[in-house]
Amino acid sequence: QRAIYWKPGTRLLDDELLEREFMYAPKRPKRAAVDHSASQTDKCSYTFIVPQQKNNGAICVNSKEPEALLENRVNKQELELLNGELHKQRLQIEALQQLVEVDGGVVNEVKLLRKESRNMNSRVTQLYMQLLHEIIRKRDNALEASQLETRVLNHTQEMGRLASRFRDLEHKYQHLSAIANNQSALLVQLEEHCKRGGHPPYHPPTYPRHTNNPMYNEIQNDQNAKAFTSGKTPVTKAFVDHFISPAGPFKDCLEALEAGYTTNGMYLLKPDNGNQLMQVWCDQTHDPGGWTVIQRRQDGSVNFFRNWETYKQGFGNIDGEYWLGLENIYWLTNQGTYKLLVSLEDWTGRKTFAEYASFRVESEADFYRLRVGRYHGSAGDSLTWHNGKQFTTLDSDHDVYTGNCAHYQKGGWWYNACAHSNLNGVWYRGGHYRSRYQDGVYWAEFRGGAYSLKKVTMMIRPNANTFH
């Protein structure tokens, strides 16, 4: 409520004028209070109470407060401005919060990218190491290829030397053939003398190997040569002279035993219907005696990796390692019923045997096809699987395998596809051997195919009173 003073002699203003006077005069100078009582003591003064009106605009207040305080007051427009500023700041804060959230997602993505980068670095390192190993391996392969080329060159030179050796041996063979042809007349005389018979028992002498004795017992003079040569069994005059006294030649070693010749050694045989004489080793002491040795391995002194013609004619040393020859075996086994005894010995001294009730080979027209009978023995049966198969050498392939078994087995044999026994293979010292193929002297049922036996002997004998 406000107090309004009225002076006497003035007209009372209505409410509208009063309100306009007080509300729309914000900075009027203050009027000085006039003391009318001093001059006009006889006049009365009145006080009017004006009801408070609703303000719609700015209000000017006549107050006694200091102007500094009035200046610090805030009006409604300023409040609205402040509210607008606050609203803008709130929007900016919300925008900043959204930016912070986006930045947080970016930070997470950066972390994931860093982790992926580390994984990629690890993978790149791994690939680099693999590449390095591959480079090293290729370098090693190149070195091996160079070494292989060197070996090939060395083998080529060796083959040249072997070819030269072969030519020398061929000349020697031609010389021996000429000697054999010159002795044909002497052989005819020997046959006539043997037919007359009537001589007392005579034991043919044996001679040590590699001597200068006139009786030369090699079937072929190349037991240490590695070249493939062919040759026939040479019969020298000295040899014939040693066999003039006996009542032979015999058809087999059993006939010689029955004639009283009980000593192991070299004998001269001529099978029934045979067209040639042959030197053989007769084992007269192995119970019951009368065994004709057709193959023997004992020290590796003779190379058994030969061609067809050599296996046909025979090679080696009669009192050592030798192969009697497929043609000779054919004439021996087709004059009657013979059995086969295979004697085996390993490098520990263990001995065993395999006996077959019948044994023979067909003629060369059938490539010396093998025929064996029922097995008996302690070594195991490693030959029946080869029964009915033709003989195969490196230069004459008759096995049932797609390749040449003689190439892999390094010998000549009645190969099937390929071998369960390989008694004409490579003689390895010590038993167990390491080779790319199973090419040792083995009998699969006795010590297996990876064990090369120390001694092997194949012998035949008429089977009149033997196992069936």
Side-chain angles (χ1 to χ4, degrees):
Q1 294 180 355
R2 302 290 181 180
I4 299 175
Y5 298 93
W6 174 76
K7 292 187 297 179
T10 62
R11 186 169 55 93
L12 182 64
L13 300 175
D14 56 9
D15 294 336
E16 182 178 355
L17 294 173
L18 290 173
E19 182 178 357
R20 185 178 302 150
E21 180 182 1
F22 285 95
M23 294 178 62
Y24 295 98
K27 292 185 180 181
R28 290 180 181 178
K30 294 181 181 181
R31 294 181 178 179
V34 178
D35 188 6
H36 296 282
S37 59
S39 59
Q40 295 178 3
T41 58
D42 55 345
K43 296 182 179 182
C44 297
S45 62
Y46 298 90
T47 301
F48 297 91
I49 304 301
V50 179
Q52 186 176 2
Q53 300 294 325
K54 183 176 180 180
N55 298 325
N56 294 325
I59 301 175
C60 295
V61 178
N62 186 7
S63 169
K64 295 182 178 181
E65 293 181 357
E67 293 183 358
L69 294 177
L70 293 176
E71 291 177 357
N72 292 331
R73 298 217 172 175
V74 180
N75 55 26
K76 186 175 182 180
Q77 293 178 350
E78 292 176 347
L79 290 175
E80 292 177 354
L81 292 175
L82 289 175
N83 289 330
E85 290 295 330
L86 290 175
H87 181 68
K88 291 180 180 179
Q89 292 179 0
R90 189 179 296 109
L91 294 177
Q92 292 178 355
I93 290 173
E94 292 177 355
L96 290 174
Q97 288 178 349
Q98 293 178 357
L99 290 176
V100 169
E101 293 177 357
V102 173
D103 291 341
V106 172
V107 170
N108 293 331
E109 291 180 358
V110 170
K111 290 181 179 178
L112 292 176
L113 289 175
R114 288 179 178 175
K115 183 177 180 180
E116 186 176 356
S117 176
R118 289 193 295 269
N119 294 335
M120 289 298 294
N121 290 336
S122 177
R123 178 60 178 167
V124 168
T125 302
Q126 183 179 2
L127 292 175
Y128 174 76
M129 294 301 295
Q130 292 179 356
L131 179 60
L132 183 61
H133 287 303
E134 186 69 17
I135 293 173
I136 295 174
R137 186 180 65 82
K138 289 184 177 179
R139 186 183 62 184
D140 294 340
N141 290 340
L143 181 60
E144 292 179 359
S146 177
Q147 294 176 353
L148 180 60
E149 291 177 357
T150 303
R151 289 197 295 269
V152 169
L153 292 176
N154 293 335
H155 288 314
T156 303
Q157 295 175 357
E158 181 68 19
M159 289 299 295
R161 290 192 293 268
L162 291 177
S164 176
R165 175 63 176 165
F166 171 77
R167 289 190 294 270
D168 295 340
L169 292 174
E170 189 175 13
H171 293 316
K172 291 181 180 179
Y173 165 70
Q174 293 174 356
H175 177 69
L176 292 174
S177 298
I179 295 176
N181 293 332
N182 294 332
Q183 294 173 349
S184 59
L186 184 60
L187 290 175
V188 172
Q189 296 177 3
L190 176 62
E191 290 179 0
E192 293 177 354
H193 180 76
C194 291
K195 289 179 181 179
R196 290 193 295 269
H199 296 279
Y202 170 77
H203 301 287
T206 61
Y207 296 90
R209 299 173 57 200
H210 308 296
T211 64
N212 295 323
N213 193 288
M215 181 180 177
Y216 198 55
N217 67 346
E218 286 189 355
I219 290 181
Q220 193 169 357
N221 183 18
D222 64 342
Q223 77 275 13
N224 292 323
K226 296 183 180 179
F228 297 144
T229 61
S230 62
K232 298 182 180 179
T233 304
V235 181
T236 63
K237 182 177 184 304
F239 180 84
V240 174
D241 292 340
H242 282 287
F243 282 92
I244 291 178
S245 296
F250 308 100
K251 70 174 184 179
D252 56 30
C253 292
L254 179 60
E255 186 178 89
L257 179 67
E258 292 173 346
Y261 300 98
T262 60
T263 303
N264 296 341
M266 292 179 291
Y267 288 79
L268 188 66
L269 302 184
K270 184 179 182 298
D272 293 341
N273 301 322
N275 57 2
Q276 62 182 7
L277 295 171
M278 65 183 73
Q279 308 172 59
V280 301
W281 183 271
C282 291
D283 190 335
Q284 309 290 39
T285 59
H286 188 89
D287 189 31
W291 295 99
T292 302
V293 178
I294 63 174
Q295 186 259 22
R296 179 164 52 214
R297 308 294 300 275
Q298 62 185 19
D299 55 16
S301 60
V302 176
N303 176 28
F304 274 66
F305 195 19
R306 304 297 185 101
N307 61 7
W308 177 265
E309 186 64 23
T310 308
Y311 264 101
K312 174 184 174 181
Q313 299 297 337
F315 56 89
N317 299 295
I318 297 298
D319 61 343
E321 292 194 340
Y322 82 100
W323 173 257
L324 183 58
L326 290 168
E327 190 68 16
N328 293 333
I329 297 173
Y330 164 72
W331 287 110
L332 281 173
T333 58
N334 281 272
Q335 64 180 345
T337 302
Y338 282 78
K339 72 174 182 176
L340 172 68
L341 176 64
V342 181
S343 178
L344 309 170
E345 181 180 346
D346 65 10
W347 288 85
T348 64
R350 178 184 173 187
K351 298 180 180 180
T352 186
F353 73 96
E355 182 178 317
Y356 294 87
S358 63
F359 171 81
R360 67 185 176 89
V361 296
E362 303 292 349
S363 65
E364 185 179 13
D366 197 14
F367 303 107
Y368 301 108
R369 190 183 300 272
L370 175 66
R371 306 292 186 186
V372 294
R374 185 180 175 186
Y375 160 79
H376 167 72
S378 58
D381 184 8
S382 292
L383 191 59
T384 300
W385 192 61
H386 299 265
N387 187 28
K389 301 302 180 291
Q390 297 173 331
F391 202 84
T392 292
T393 61
L394 183 64
D395 60 337
S396 184
D397 184 7
H398 305 111
D399 56 56
V400 298
Y401 184 61
T402 55
N404 189 338
C405 291
H407 169 73
Y408 302 105
Q409 305 291 321
K410 299 297 185 297
W413 198 247
W414 297 276
Y415 292 117
N416 188 336
C418 275
H420 202 54
S421 57
N422 190 41
L423 301 186
N424 289 339
V426 180
W427 189 87
Y428 289 103
R429 184 179 300 275
H432 292 288
Y433 64 93
R434 302 177 65 179
S435 177
R436 185 176 182 182
Y437 307 107
Q438 287 189 349
D439 53 7
V441 180
Y442 68 84
W443 189 267
E445 294 295 327
F446 177 58
R447 302 306 300 266
Y451 188 94
S452 185
L453 299 172
K454 182 178 181 180
K455 293 183 179 180
V456 174
T457 305
M458 297 176 65
M459 303 180 290
I460 60 174
R461 186 183 191 276
N463 66 346
N465 297 313
T466 58
F467 170 79
H468 292 278

